[in-house]
Amino acid sequence: NAGVTQTPKFQVLKTGQSMTLQCAQDMNHEYMSWYRQDPGMGLRLIHYSVGAGITDQGEVPNGYNVSRSTTEDFPLRLLSAAPSQTSVYFCASRGGQPNSPLHFGNGTRLTVT
Amino acid sequence: AQKVTQAQTEISVVEKEDVTLDCVYETRDTTYYLFWYKQPPSGELVFLIRRNSFDEQNEISGRYSWNFQKSTSSFNFTITASQVVDSAVYFCALHSPFGNEKLTFGTGTRLTIIP
């Protein structure tokens, strides 16, 4: 079982460039989410999805887009990268019960210059 | 609004000492769930434990123990006889399932075990 797979592991972008962070899970989880981790700020929710075709904003959604066309995939798009989006990004999924723990991908370290 | 406070930003202890990581939470919901995650230097996030709000039993797993007290809104984590492998950032998190699916994380405590 691969769990949650994130790609790429590292990425450097120039201001204004766009890119997509990929996330896939093979646990048939309905719930998926994206977090960003910044020093001293913990993990902050960007967007989440409770099932295919359903997405919603989290705490820090500006500058990011998501879609959920399948249960397995939940890509995160940066349309026009900004230095403030330099961060470590984590994708996560969980089962349907509210006390189900999150399963995290290994993270993507993004630098925007 | 819900909030998780981990007031200890960094802790260093000598190996074999016991250490307690504090977590204080705020929520208006009567049903909620608390979690602890570990982030070792390699960077991945690993689930350690969960606790439902209606279950105040403390839990012990090997050298790890968790003390949940609703009266003080705390969910503290103790490592007994610490080891170098315990060095990591530890996050406490709160999930109130009503209204939205947001899981709120604390800012984390960086624990360093000195050999």
Side-chain angles (χ1 to χ4, degrees):
Chain A
N1 242 355
V4 179
T5 303
Q6 263 185 260
T7 56
K9 289 187 177 180
F10 301 95
Q11 184 70 51
V12 178
L13 292 178
K14 293 185 178 179
T15 298
Q17 287 185 319
S18 63
M19 79 158 295
T20 299
L21 279 63
Q22 301 292 343
C23 177
Q25 52 92 10
D26 60 2
M27 297 172 282
N28 202 31
H29 286 166
E30 291 296 328
Y31 178 87
M32 296 185 73
S33 55
W34 278 100
Y35 286 84
R36 60 178 288 172
Q37 181 179 16
D38 302 292
M41 304 193 74
L43 291 120
R44 294 182 293 169
L45 182 64
I46 304 171
H47 285 285
Y48 66 94
S49 169
V50 297
I54 305 170
T55 64
D56 206 345
Q57 297 181 352
E59 185 182 356
V60 288
N62 292 340
Y64 307 96
N65 274 356
V66 292
S67 60
R68 185 92 179 270
S69 56
T70 67
T71 298
E72 294 77 21
D73 301 300
F74 190 44
L76 178 72
R77 297 182 185 84
L78 283 71
L79 299 179
S80 179
S84 61
Q85 293 178 306
T86 294
S87 187
V88 180
Y89 292 84
F90 287 95
C91 179
S93 72
R94 67 167 176 83
Q97 297 300 315
N99 65 346
S100 298
L102 287 173
H103 297 259
F104 285 91
N106 287 333
T108 297
R109 183 173 295 275
L110 174 68
T111 303
V112 182
T113 60
Chain B
Q2 50 190 45
K3 184 179 179 181
V4 176
T5 301
Q6 294 181 257
Q8 303 153 309
T9 305
E10 295 190 25
I11 301 175
S12 294
V13 299
V14 176
E15 194 173 19
K16 297 183 183 178
E17 287 185 351
D18 299 347
V19 58
T20 296
L21 309 182
D22 298 332
C23 173
V24 175
Y25 61 92
E26 296 175 26
T27 180
R28 294 178 183 174
D29 293 324
T30 55
T31 299
Y32 51 89
Y33 306 94
L34 296 161
F35 302 85
W36 276 96
Y37 290 87
K38 175 182 180 180
Q39 186 176 41
S42 52
E44 72 272 21
L45 285 151
V46 179
F47 163 70
L48 293 177
I49 194 172
R50 65 182 160 207
R51 176 61 67 222
N52 303 333
S53 58
F54 45 85
D55 179 7
E56 290 197 64
Q57 279 190 343
N58 293 324
E59 184 158 341
I60 298 174
S61 176
R63 297 183 296 107
Y64 296 171
S65 63
W66 291 268
N67 182 5
F68 175 38
Q69 291 195 335
K70 288 182 73 171
S71 60
T72 56
S73 297
S74 64
F75 186 41
N76 296 337
F77 174 27
T78 297
I79 302 175
T80 302
S82 59
Q83 300 176 2
V84 172
V85 292
D86 297 326
S87 294
V89 180
Y90 290 86
F91 291 97
C92 181
L94 166 68
H95 182 207
S96 289
F98 305 105
N100 63 58
E101 288 291 329
K102 183 183 175 188
L103 182 67
T104 301
F105 282 84
T107 52
T109 297
R110 181 178 298 278
L111 175 64
T112 301
I113 308 300
I114 303 166

